[in-house]
Amino acid sequence: MGIGREVFGDALPVAERYAAFLADAGVERGLIGPREVDRLWERHLINCAVVSEAVPADAHVVDIGSGAGLPGIVLAIVRPDLRITLLEPLLRRTTFLEECVRLLDLPNVEVRRARAEEVVTEFAVDVATARAVAPLERLAKWALPLLRPDGELLALKGERARAELDEAEPVLKRLGARSAELLQVGRGMVDPPTTLVRVVAGRGEVVGRRQRAPRRARGSRKRSS
């Protein structure tokens, strides 16, 4: 709990209420396994909270396949400057998430029942997050079309992070990604540190989204002498 206090600061009581809700309703409804209760803080809450190190200030974040709210709910607790959309297609999970938002009084969170491909024309967010949702090559197809130019996908990954990144390279190129790399966050707070795959969206057209590079303003073209 010493690390929890360091990570969450004044928001620790809110994180504690969330942990208690996960250990109770989360287990009862099958969103968290019973064996995870004893390691909720290190394996789940703190593991997700340290992702905030990689999220810019005042960002709009969409959490794809939010499930029990990891990492979306945790990011909303630790970073009230963020605007979080929890994107989840299953009714029982969105019901759970809506209950979390009310219980924790999180005004910066919206719950949306939908798949990423169903809202592709509605979103242009700064950051997309995902945890244990799908392999990177599939996740990128869902996430990158939701990003604004230069927006970032932050995917929490485990031991296969490097392999997934290598396997997804052709897909990332086809989607117009500008760069992709591995990051580790939470050093000294979680062991091992949380591994992220960070993919930066390009400025041009993204496959699957009506998004093009901004046109040059009228009159800005140099005239030939």
Side-chain angles (χ1 to χ4, degrees):
M1 290 306 296
I3 294 294
R5 191 170 293 108
E6 180 180 349
V7 171
F8 287 97
D10 293 341
L12 180 61
V14 182
E16 289 174 332
R17 290 203 300 274
Y18 178 49
F21 195 58
L22 284 174
D24 184 7
V27 172
E28 181 182 335
R29 302 183 200 181
L31 278 78
I32 292 289
R35 296 181 180 179
E36 298 302 306
V37 172
D38 291 338
R39 49 186 183 179
L40 272 177
W41 283 93
E42 181 176 354
R43 185 178 176 87
H44 298 288
L45 273 74
I46 296 174
N47 179 265
C48 288
V50 296
V51 174
S52 66
E53 296 176 16
V55 180
D58 303 316
H60 183 188
V61 179
V62 61
D63 188 29
I64 299 172
S66 195
L70 301 165
I73 290 284
V74 177
L75 288 174
I77 295 171
V78 76
R79 289 281 302 278
D81 62 300
L82 302 177
R83 181 159 59 101
I84 309 284
T85 299
L86 306 178
L87 197 61
E88 170 57 52
L90 297 183
L91 177 59
R92 66 183 180 87
R93 293 180 180 176
T94 55
T95 299
F96 177 87
L97 293 171
E98 288 166 352
E99 291 177 18
C100 279
V101 172
R102 289 194 297 270
L103 173 69
L104 305 178
D105 189 20
L106 298 173
N108 57 332
V109 178
E110 173 193 13
V111 179
R112 180 73 183 275
R113 185 186 174 196
R115 300 181 184 277
E117 56 268 35
E118 295 171 343
V119 296
V120 70
T121 59
E122 302 176 32
F123 283 81
V125 301
D126 304 297
V127 176
T129 58
R131 182 178 191 248
V133 172
L136 183 61
E137 58 184 345
R138 199 185 326 157
L139 176 61
K141 295 177 184 178
W142 301 335
L144 264 67
L146 301 180
L147 296 173
R148 63 167 177 77
D150 292 333
E152 299 180 358
L153 165 62
L154 299 176
L156 285 79
K157 292 293 181 180
E159 296 177 354
R160 291 200 75 253
R162 169 55 64 185
E164 284 197 36
L165 183 55
D166 292 342
E167 292 164 4
E169 185 177 354
V171 172
L172 296 178
K173 287 182 178 179
R174 189 168 71 250
L175 292 169
R178 183 161 62 84
S179 63
E181 63 180 335
L182 296 185
L183 295 178
Q184 287 193 323
V185 292
R187 291 185 181 276
M189 297 182 185
V190 285
D191 185 23
T194 300
T195 299
L196 301 176
V197 177
R198 178 167 67 184
V199 180
V200 180
R203 292 179 174 271
E205 185 173 348
V206 174
V207 175
R209 182 192 181 93
R210 296 173 185 174
Q211 175 181 313
R212 299 180 182 276
R215 294 182 179 179
R216 184 177 300 182
R218 184 175 296 178
S220 63
R221 183 179 299 173
K222 290 184 179 181
R223 296 181 179 178
S224 58
S225 55

